[in-house]
Amino acid sequence: MASVVRSSKFRHVFGTAAKRNDSFENLRVSASAWDSNFVAANPKYLAVNWDAGGGGAFCVVPQAQVGKLRADFPLFSAHQGAVLDTAFSPFDDDVIASGAEDHQAMVWRIPGDLEEREENVTEPLAVLKGHGRKVGHVAWNPVAAGVLAVSSSDNTVRLWDVEAGRVGQTLQGFDDAVLSIAWSGDGTQLAATCRDKQLRIFDARSGRVERAAPSHTGIKGSRVAWLGDTRLATTGFARGSGRELRLWDASTLTPISTQNVDSSAGMLMPFFDLGTSILYVAGKGDGNIRYYEFADDKL
């Protein structure tokens, strides 16, 4: 029987590299081995975890400022350890959160004179202390303003009320380090992958685990992303070290399908565009970005 190729308007899409005049140059991206995104973006800025000696820092570059970045461009530098993750607020383009190896998360306001500024930004709006080990990921709630999820290698995720400076819920039950976190679109649930090879969904209000299931069986890390309200995508490794992409029913936390991607060693990072229903998968160290159309419960 002849194979049937699914019809898609994205079937013949291809990407081209930006011209040098439209690229960002002279960015000293962190060489940390931690599996985070290293780069974050919103309509106004690009944020990069910085390769800074003697403490931690990140850089925020205006989107319009393409070309070679000046060597003395100001950094955000109050952390005492390497910055591992950043996330822009979905409610204010000029607010960004950071997490670092110094066990702290911080929230910053980007100054209006950033491009002309000569000194570093060293005064955050808020310092979120209390985590027992390094802070690996930060993620803003997409619906509730000022609520920030912060995961730590102390095997917890804390949901902070940033304005009040206090923890609303502490999500527990992990048997090892948390590897990734992702909010549902309505902000009521948080999905998390863990080094204990379990995928969990938490109720954000109660802090309880709603569902948990065995995930990828490989010893390397895994990541999770929501595909709308009732589906999840995870990336990880099989027992034989091959890279996998798995689609889940979030309501029952049962797998729908699993794709074997390849046998490369880098972590696969999923990013879902709800407007086009396209899942982008970027591999750490890869020379390409894969994309999948999500339609009819298939990738």
Side-chain angles (χ1 to χ4, degrees):
M1 178 183 289
S3 62
V4 177
V5 178
R6 186 175 67 180
S7 175
S8 171
K9 62 185 177 182
F10 300 105
R11 185 179 175 190
H12 300 293
V13 171
F14 64 94
T16 56
K19 296 180 180 178
R20 186 169 183 178
N21 290 342
D22 297 323
S23 301
F24 297 92
E25 296 186 321
N26 204 32
L27 302 182
R28 294 173 52 190
V29 182
S30 171
S32 169
W34 182 252
D35 283 321
S36 68
N37 297 335
F38 290 89
V39 175
N42 72 4
K44 292 180 67 174
Y45 303 105
L46 178 78
V48 179
N49 297 357
W50 208 249
D51 185 11
F58 65 96
C59 186
V60 176
V61 184
Q63 290 274 13
Q65 192 167 331
V66 293
K68 188 174 182 180
L69 191 71
R70 75 173 200 261
D72 61 347
F73 197 82
L75 303 176
F76 291 71
S77 60
H79 285 288
Q80 300 303 306
V83 173
L84 301 179
D85 197 24
T86 57
F88 286 101
S89 168
F91 294 93
D92 188 335
D93 286 344
D94 295 311
V95 171
I96 186 171
S98 59
E101 289 185 348
D102 61 2
H103 308 183
Q104 298 180 111
M106 296 183 182
V107 177
W108 310 74
R109 175 161 293 279
I110 301 167
D113 63 346
L114 184 64
E115 294 182 54
E116 297 79 25
R117 192 181 181 99
E118 295 184 355
E119 68 276 6
N120 288 344
V121 182
T122 58
E123 296 293 333
L125 292 175
V127 180
L128 310 180
K129 299 180 179 180
H131 298 276
R133 298 183 67 182
K134 63 185 177 183
V135 169
H137 299 93
V138 290
W140 294 97
N141 188 296
V143 175
V147 175
L148 182 70
V150 179
S151 74
S152 169
S153 292
D154 63 6
N155 303 353
T156 66
V157 177
R158 302 188 185 199
L159 307 184
W160 286 86
D161 180 335
V162 172
E163 185 173 350
R166 63 177 179 83
V167 176
Q169 291 289 351
T170 299
L171 311 185
Q172 301 181 27
F174 301 101
D175 295 326
D176 208 329
V178 179
L179 298 177
S180 73
I181 54 176
W183 287 101
S184 60
D186 61 6
T188 63
Q189 299 179 99
L190 189 84
T193 60
C194 180
R195 202 174 295 280
D196 64 10
K197 305 177 186 178
Q198 292 282 313
L199 172 63
R200 296 174 175 85
I201 296 179
F202 289 85
D203 180 283
R205 295 186 181 92
S206 68
R208 294 193 299 265
V209 178
E210 288 192 328
R211 290 172 290 282
S215 188
H216 304 274
T217 56
I219 62 173
K220 296 182 180 179
S222 62
R223 302 289 291 272
V224 62
W226 286 86
L227 311 185
D229 295 328
T230 62
R231 297 293 183 261
L232 291 167
T234 59
T235 57
F237 292 82
R239 194 179 304 276
S241 297
R243 298 196 293 188
E244 295 179 327
L245 170 62
R246 183 167 295 163
L247 178 66
W248 299 79
D249 181 342
S251 62
T252 59
L253 212 55
T254 53
I256 297 172
S257 63
T258 301
Q259 296 188 33
N260 297 315
V261 178
D262 58 25
S263 58
S264 296
M267 166 76 74
L268 288 171
M269 298 171 285
F271 304 92
F272 186 62
D273 179 12
L274 185 61
T276 59
S277 292
I278 293 291
L279 177 69
Y280 296 92
V281 179
K284 190 175 181 182
D286 286 7
N288 56 43
I289 298 174
R290 295 171 172 85
Y291 66 94
Y292 302 82
E293 184 181 15
F294 178 55
D296 303 322
D297 244 5
K298 296 178 180 178
L299 288 170

